[in-house]
Amino acid sequence: MTEKLEEVKSNLQDETKTITTRKDAEQLKIKYLGRKGIVNDLMKLIPALPTEKRAAFGQRVNFLKIEIADIIDELITKVSAEVIPKIKTELFDITLPGKRPFIGKKHPITQTIDDIKEVFARLGFDVVYGPEVELEYYNFEALNIPTDHPSRTDFDTFYIRDDVLLRSQTSTVQIRIMEKQKPPIRIIAPGRVYRPDTVDARHSFMFHQVEGLFVDEGVSFADLKGVLNQFIKTYFGQNIRMRLRPSFFPFTEPSAEVDISCSICGGRGCSVCSYSGWVEILGAGMVDPNVFKAVHYDEEKYTGFAFGMGVERITMLKYGICDIRLFYENDIRFLSQF
Ligand code: PHE
């Protein structure tokens, strides 16, 4: 029996000489020490031995097991160490391109707001913010919107209480700023607005607007036109044209809706511009004297203009995006294109 154990050990020693890889060394370990390995086979011989020899033999097998484990572990360490110089000489090609780490991006809406901020910063506008949960006073009353105006109903505005709501327009910030500061005022106010619209390709119950307000002595409609033209040319490109159509807002007089030549078809006519060649991008006008009264500005002394644009809308026009819902789905395949 003892010879058998010696034989196992010397076989192992012979085998280790031929092994050069970690994988083969691990295999060797399984062959000797695994559940169906050689050492376990030796253990199985014990019951067949005479009773008085069993204990001694068992002890020797256990001792051999420890020796074998030491020999193989040493072998594993040795062959693993040899892999490193091998990587240097054979496997590691420093000319191969590396894996590019994935870098996140700003959401297209954030990018558009950043672009808008930049254009207006150059024209001397400061960026200000107002609350999304707003008093009815700032969303309607101070903006000269009569109590029976349809936009005040809960078909058009989310109410939290009778006098508290989710703002439906960023024009609220006009009032908040004028209450706090005296002219000259030159601000833009980006942010979220909420309206209970049914969601479809063009509507969402939440979207973004950027409000603009310029108040000083002698501000004219020509200034409004000049500033908007500058913005449109910078944001959409020099070849884009602008036109103003008379319109109505309770807080501006006169009021205008501003169109640009369709950036999708270049003004030739397509489904986006309903084959008219023009698309509306914002509302604007001269601040109504009633609004100045609400904030205790001298309406004889000051004039001003205001405008409000939809951020999703101009982003869609700039990039040819046909469905507003894409902005809110957080699909990386969409977002990574910007
Ligand atoms: N608040 C208006 C809207 O949401 C846009 C607007 C802003 C119009 C400022 C005129 C002046 O439609």
Side-chain angles (χ1 to χ4, degrees):
M1 274 302 163
T2 322
E3 303 85 73
K4 189 154 180 75
L5 300 187
E6 285 305 322
E7 195 189 315
V8 168
K9 188 173 163 184
S10 80
N11 281 350
L12 171 69
Q13 274 158 344
D14 286 345
E15 280 192 85
T16 57
K17 283 175 200 148
T18 63
I19 284 174
T20 53
T21 69
R22 191 184 171 111
K23 203 172 147 216
D24 288 346
E26 305 275 8
Q27 281 302 323
L28 191 67
K29 191 169 185 173
I30 294 168
K31 180 175 172 188
Y32 278 85
L33 301 174
R35 205 161 45 82
K36 291 180 182 163
I38 292 169
V39 171
N40 261 355
D41 283 347
L42 292 173
M43 292 287 194
K44 282 179 200 151
L45 298 174
I46 294 174
L49 292 175
T51 326
E52 68 280 4
K53 291 199 172 163
R54 284 182 196 168
F57 183 75
Q59 230 172 18
R60 265 190 235 124
V61 175
N62 272 330
F63 187 68
L64 177 67
K65 192 174 174 180
I66 295 166
E67 272 187 309
I68 291 176
D70 283 348
I71 291 169
I72 299 180
D73 283 345
E74 202 174 302
L75 176 68
I76 289 175
T77 318
K78 191 176 139 222
V79 294
S80 302
E82 277 166 8
V83 171
I84 294 162
K86 248 189 190 169
I87 285 175
K88 278 195 186 142
T89 53
E90 293 173 20
L91 300 175
F92 191 63
D93 179 353
I94 55 159
T95 64
L96 280 176
K99 267 193 194 158
R100 217 172 267 280
F102 179 76
I103 296 174
K105 288 185 169 186
K106 281 188 183 172
H107 192 280
I109 294 299
T110 310
Q111 285 185 43
T112 302
I113 292 174
D114 285 351
D115 291 345
I116 296 170
K117 281 182 191 166
E118 200 184 310
V119 178
F120 284 99
R122 270 187 254 149
L123 297 171
F125 285 72
D126 289 332
V127 182
V128 296
Y129 299 91
E132 291 171 27
V133 177
E134 203 27 301
L135 291 171
E136 178 270 320
Y137 175 79
Y138 291 99
N139 203 78
F140 296 122
E141 196 181 328
L143 287 165
N144 196 37
I145 300 177
T147 34
D148 60 353
H149 195 275
S151 69
R152 285 191 180 235
T153 65
D154 50 16
F155 290 108
D156 285 308
T157 303
F158 284 114
Y159 281 89
I160 290 166
R161 282 196 330 236
D162 270 0
D163 57 341
V164 183
L165 43 77
L166 294 180
R167 69 176 176 194
S168 61
Q169 51 184 356
T170 44
S171 302
T172 52
V173 189
Q174 291 185 34
I175 306 298
R176 287 188 170 273
I177 283 299
M178 288 192 283
E179 273 185 348
K180 280 198 298 241
Q181 290 174 31
K182 292 276 152 258
I185 302 254
R186 222 184 298 177
I187 56 103
I188 56 164
R192 296 190 179 96
V193 299
Y194 301 84
R195 292 181 192 177
D197 284 325
T198 306
V199 176
D200 63 22
R202 290 158 151 264
H203 297 92
S204 164
F205 50 83
M206 184 284 296
F207 58 97
H208 298 73
Q209 286 188 330
V210 174
E211 192 79 7
L213 177 68
F214 191 155
V215 183
D216 203 350
E217 288 178 48
V219 177
S220 72
F221 204 95
D223 296 321
L224 169 61
K225 224 177 139 176
V227 164
L228 292 180
N229 193 49
Q230 178 70 35
F231 163 69
I232 286 163
K233 293 263 151 75
T234 316
Y235 184 74
F236 286 102
Q238 292 300 322
N239 51 342
I240 296 288
R241 283 160 298 137
M242 167 181 104
R243 77 175 184 189
L244 277 69
R245 277 178 297 108
S247 185
F248 175 79
F249 298 102
F251 36 92
T252 47
E253 181 58 36
S255 304
E257 267 167 344
V258 179
D259 296 343
I260 59 167
S261 53
C262 182
S263 54
I264 306 295
C265 63
R268 282 184 299 278
C270 67
S271 60
V272 172
C273 60
S274 306
Y275 300 94
S276 69
W278 296 94
V279 281
E280 187 208 317
I281 59 156
L282 56 88
M286 301 305 291
V287 179
D288 192 291
N290 283 339
V291 173
F292 283 149
K293 274 189 197 134
V295 296
H296 311 295
Y297 275 13
D298 182 350
E299 81 264 25
E300 298 295 327
K301 190 169 170 198
Y302 297 114
T303 51
F305 64 75
F307 57 86
M309 63 182 107
V311 178
E312 278 77 354
R313 186 160 171 78
I314 67 169
T315 311
M316 289 167 83
L317 285 170
K318 178 150 174 173
Y319 298 108
I321 300 162
C322 56
D323 195 322
I324 195 170
R325 289 169 289 198
L326 288 164
F327 290 123
Y328 315 118
E329 282 166 356
N330 282 340
D331 187 332
I332 290 288
R333 291 167 302 178
F334 171 73
L335 297 175
S336 60
Q337 293 176 49
F338 299 93

